[in-house]
Structure formats: C-alpha cells, structure tokens
Amino acid sequence: MEELREEIISFPRVGEMAPSFEAVTTHGTLRLEDFKGSWLVLFSHPADFTPVCTTEFIAFSQAYPEFQKRGAELLGLSVDSVSSHIAWARNIQEKTGVKVPFPIIADLSKEVSIKYGMIHPGESKTETIRCVFIIDPDQVIRAILYYPLTTGRNISEILRIIDALQTTDKYGVATPANWQPGEKVIVPAPTTVEGAEERLKEGYECVDWYLCKKSV
Amino acid sequence: MACVTPEGKPTESGKKILNALKSGAASPEEIAKTSGLPLFRVRSGLRDMVQADLVKEEEGKYKLTEKGEQFIE
C-alpha cells in the first residue's frame, strides 16, 4: 500500500514525455507509441455503466469527427474489464444509437492509472477520476485536466485546447482567455527593454508593450 | 488481437491491412492511407500479424508471407 501511495503522488506533468504503456483495449493490445505522429486525448472515467460516464462517452463519440479533423485520436480508460467495456459500448449504441468509435483501455491491473496519477484516493480509492491528458504527436504531455467524479467533462473545451495548442505550435503565439479559433492571438511579450520599446511600433493591436494581439 | 482471430486468421481489419500490402503499401503510414484504418490500428495490427506469421517485417517495411497471401481477396 505504501508503494502504491508513493506511485500515485508521482504525477506526470505538462511538458514531460507521456509515460509509455502497453495495454489491453477494446481494439486489441495498444502501446502509447502506436499513436506517435497523432495528437492523443487519453482520458479516464470512473466506471462503465454509470450515468455521468455514459453521457461523456456519448459526447466524446459524437465529437469524434471533430477530433479527427484536428489529427487527434481518443483513448478511454477505466479499471473495468474489456468484456465490461464492450458490453457498455454495445448498450450505449443499442439505447442511444451512438457508436463508440475509439478504443478503451481495460486497466484491471491499474498499471496505466498509477503511471498517469489517475486515482485520487480523496475522491475514490478504487476508481480513476475524470482525467484528460492531451499528448502531442511527439508524445509530450501538453495539457492535463482533472474533474471530480460528479462533474461531466466539457468536450468543447478539450477541442478548444487542441486548437489553441496547434495554433501556438504553428504560429509561435499564445492564446488569450476564452479564445476561439479565428480570434486574435497574443504576440509573445518582449523580453528586453529594447524589444519593449520597439513593440508599440510594430503595428500590432496593443494594450501596452506586454499585451499585443494580431490575427493569424 | 484486433486483426487476427484466435484461430490465426485475419479479421476484417486484418484483411484490409493484407490487401493494402498486396497493393504495394509497405510502411505503416502507407498502409493506413491505403486501408483507411487509423495509424495506431495499423501499427498494433502489424504487430499481431507478424506474430501470426501473416506478415513479415524487414527494416521497417512490411510484406505478406505465404500464409498471408492465402487470405487475399
């Protein structure tokens, strides 16, 4: 137990390489490395056949084409078995008409959950909470979200984060609060006195030298 | 295994990979493009199919084996 607790508190962090794994999924045995070259949204849910998780899986499945447009794959995870995942996905399709198109890890051993810090004993000692890891094509963790058991995730926000990260990578800019694709982005603030003096002459839309925006 | 049945035969996804190999695709990226399968499925499927002796790998390129040829439609 002491060993488990030690590993649980060792969370991966933004900017670090995503921990490698090989896991049994509803689409066969998959490795993290199989997703190299694509964006990957690795997300955990507490348990199959539970209400909030079901609404999330419907929402993730319906948004799957939007993830694909962004070159992103989805990979679910819980500590349930493959048979449970398959039965749940079939039940969702039968009851709602929505097909779950992405693989789900059956992490019965909790090996992946522990590596990714998905079990938060304050919420549940046995289930994974609602974690989201956004991993880039080089397999670096670019964003992490944690939601409690009782709060279903906002899928639009996950898509928005991918849009923001891809915009940052393409144009070398940052994105402001509540940014949506098509809106102006933030030019990185100058880091020298000379740069600060020049910035206001560079034709950007500026509040001051440290907050300037442009269209991309 | 998602691309190979317990009897060692290719599944529908497995057949897509075999057909892509037959049409000349050799790298996982080419196979994904030709078969329409996601790249992660192709990579994991190729692992299964090498293990089942349906496909062989040489320096990152994949080819059908004699056994794999038998399942080409």
Side-chain angles (χ1 to χ4, degrees):
Chain A
M1 186 61 196
E2 204 49 47
E3 193 179 320
L4 177 70
R5 185 166 300 168
E6 187 66 30
E7 286 186 82
I8 286 172
I9 60 169
S10 176
F11 287 1
R13 286 171 287 201
V14 171
E16 293 179 351
M17 291 300 292
S20 290
F21 59 78
E22 180 176 279
V24 174
T25 82
T26 49
H27 291 202
T29 300
L30 295 176
R31 297 176 183 169
L32 174 70
E33 292 73 19
D34 292 335
F35 294 90
K36 206 163 188 178
S38 304
W39 287 79
L40 174 64
V41 178
L42 170 64
F43 66 99
S44 58
H45 67 279
D48 298 346
F49 293 102
T50 54
V52 178
C53 302
T54 302
T55 64
E56 290 187 321
F57 264 63
I58 292 168
F60 271 120
S61 299
Q62 289 173 329
Y64 185 61
E66 288 300 317
F67 285 99
Q68 285 190 306
K69 274 186 208 168
R70 291 158 174 81
E73 293 292 346
L74 295 174
L75 178 59
L77 177 150
S78 79
V79 298
D80 298 291
S81 67
V82 162
S83 301
S84 172
H85 288 333
I86 292 171
W88 183 41
R90 286 172 66 93
N91 184 258
I92 289 172
Q93 187 167 6
E94 184 191 323
K95 301 294 180 189
T96 70
V98 176
K99 186 173 184 180
V100 176
F102 49 83
I104 313 166
I105 294 175
D107 196 29
L108 285 170
S109 67
K110 298 185 176 149
E111 196 180 322
V112 183
S113 311
I114 290 169
K115 271 188 178 176
Y116 279 79
M118 291 169 164
I119 296 173
H120 294 205
E123 278 282 300
S124 170
K125 288 185 172 60
T126 55
E127 301 164 312
T128 45
I129 63 159
R130 303 182 197 285
C131 303
V132 181
F133 291 85
I134 299 177
I135 299 168
D136 75 13
D138 296 324
Q139 312 226 289
V140 174
I141 297 174
R142 300 292 298 276
I144 303 174
L145 305 170
Y146 294 117
Y147 289 65
L149 298 178
T150 51
T151 307
R153 281 163 277 210
N154 183 329
I155 312 303
S156 301
E157 172 62 359
I158 298 169
L159 288 166
R160 193 191 74 92
I161 294 171
I162 295 172
D163 285 332
L165 290 168
Q166 292 181 345
T167 300
T168 291
D169 289 354
K170 188 171 180 185
Y171 298 104
V173 295
T175 50
N178 299 323
W179 176 85
Q180 294 290 339
E183 294 178 357
K184 287 184 177 171
V185 297
I186 294 174
V187 185
T191 53
T192 61
V193 171
E194 190 179 6
E197 283 169 7
E198 290 297 315
R199 177 52 53 90
L200 295 173
K201 303 172 197 163
E202 288 171 335
Y204 300 126
E205 178 188 306
C206 293
V207 172
D208 204 343
W209 63 271
Y210 63 88
L211 175 52
C212 295
K213 292 183 184 176
K214 68 173 183 178
S215 298
V216 291
Chain B
M1 291 194 283
C3 288
V4 183
T5 67
E7 295 77 37
K9 294 178 181 173
T11 61
E12 283 307 308
S13 298
K15 285 178 188 170
K16 284 183 183 175
I17 292 176
L18 294 179
N19 286 325
L21 286 165
K22 184 69 179 175
S23 70
S27 68
E29 290 78 8
E30 289 166 352
I31 296 165
K33 200 172 173 185
T34 306
S35 66
L37 291 169
L39 184 55
F40 75 88
R41 285 289 302 274
V42 171
R43 285 176 176 148
S44 67
L46 286 168
R47 264 199 313 275
D48 295 347
M49 295 172 88
V50 167
Q51 207 179 338
D53 192 30
L54 296 167
V55 167
K56 60 186 171 187
E57 187 251 326
E58 286 167 15
E59 296 176 351
K61 300 289 182 187
Y62 292 84
K63 290 178 183 171
L64 291 168
T65 60
E66 275 183 37
K67 186 180 169 189
E69 288 273 6
Q70 293 169 15
F71 295 99
I72 294 295
E73 292 170 346

